[in-house]
Amino acid sequence: AQTVTQSQPEMSVQEAETVTLSCTYDTSESDYYLFWYKQPPSRQMILVIRQEAYKQQNATENRFSVNFQKAAKSFSLKISDSQLGDAAMYFCAYRGWDGGSQGNLIFGKGTKLSVKP
Amino acid sequence: DSGVTQTPKHLITATGQRVTLRCSPRSGDLSVYWYQQSLDQGLQFLIQYYNGEERAKGNILERFSAQQFPDLHSELNLSSLELGDSALYFCASSVGSSNQPQHFGDGTRLSIL
């Protein structure tokens, strides 16, 4: 079974600085998707960024980028120019390539990010 | 706004009771997923429906059941409630069963007294 591990329960960053959140996963599949979701205190689950495993190029969405290392099964999230609104719980998630039983997301335990003014 | 609507937002009930959580997916989405978020278990997948049919089951208790109706809305039924069922229940939807991102509703906070 696939597993997702986030080894940093809490992280802190100064406003305008850069922070990297770590995520590792375990799978025997060769094709899959990886995601980062953000959950602010409002408790919404907001998709931040996604990466297809078959793509070597790292995904980027404005200030958010990932470092995807397929061989190492690592998928870290880098937040540049951190803003107060980035303070939230961040979840790394895995989903298998094709439908059926592999359609659901498997989540890590999350990393709570605090942003200091 | 994700386009996924969950009702109610909060639900308070007692042990042994039965409740129904409702989810309306985004327009055009055929897949509905239910997740449970609790302090001790984290975010766990419960069950998935695709176009009215059950597609996958996760860590869903036998006391829990779900269905997806012809208009694609879904209901999660929780019965014989226990204190440990207190959690945030999310519904998510996507266009297909696998390749598209899942968009989450705001969740239903269930508190068992």
Side-chain angles (χ1 to χ4, degrees), chain A residues 55-115:
Chain A
K55 290 186 178 179
Q56 293 188 343
Q57 186 173 7
N58 290 322
T60 299
E61 289 287 343
N62 301 314
R63 298 183 295 107
F64 299 87
S65 62
V66 298
N67 183 4
F68 173 50
Q69 302 289 330
K70 190 173 184 179
K73 296 180 182 176
S74 171
F75 183 61
S76 60
L77 175 70
K78 186 171 82 172
I79 306 174
S80 304
D81 185 25
S82 296
Q83 301 175 0
L84 295 178
D86 295 333
M89 199 76 170
Y90 286 82
F91 292 95
C92 179
Y94 170 101
R95 187 167 75 187
W97 173 259
D98 207 355
S101 63
Q102 296 177 335
N104 58 281
L105 292 165
I106 299 169
F107 288 93
K109 294 290 187 184
T111 296
K112 184 177 181 180
L113 178 67
S114 302
V115 181

Side-chain angles (χ1 to χ4, degrees), chain A residues 33 35 37 39 42-45 47 50 91 95-105 107-109, chain B residues 9-10 33 35 37 40-43 45 48 55-56 88 90 97-102 104 106-109:
Chain A
Y33 288 103
F35 304 84
Y37 278 87
Q39 187 177 38
S42 64
R43 82 185 186 193
Q44 294 172 300
M45 290 291 288
L47 177 65
R50 75 169 184 166
F91 292 95
R95 187 167 75 187
W97 173 259
D98 207 355
S101 63
Q102 296 177 335
N104 58 281
L105 292 165
F107 288 93
K109 294 290 187 184
Chain B
K9 292 190 183 303
H10 303 278
Y33 306 79
Y35 294 88
Q37 185 177 28
D40 53 346
Q41 297 294 327
L43 268 160
F45 167 67
Q48 176 200 358
R55 180 60 66 92
L88 186 54
F90 282 107
S97 65
S98 63
N99 293 348
Q100 299 302 317
Q102 294 180 19
F104 283 74
D106 290 345
T108 293
R109 169 73 69 186

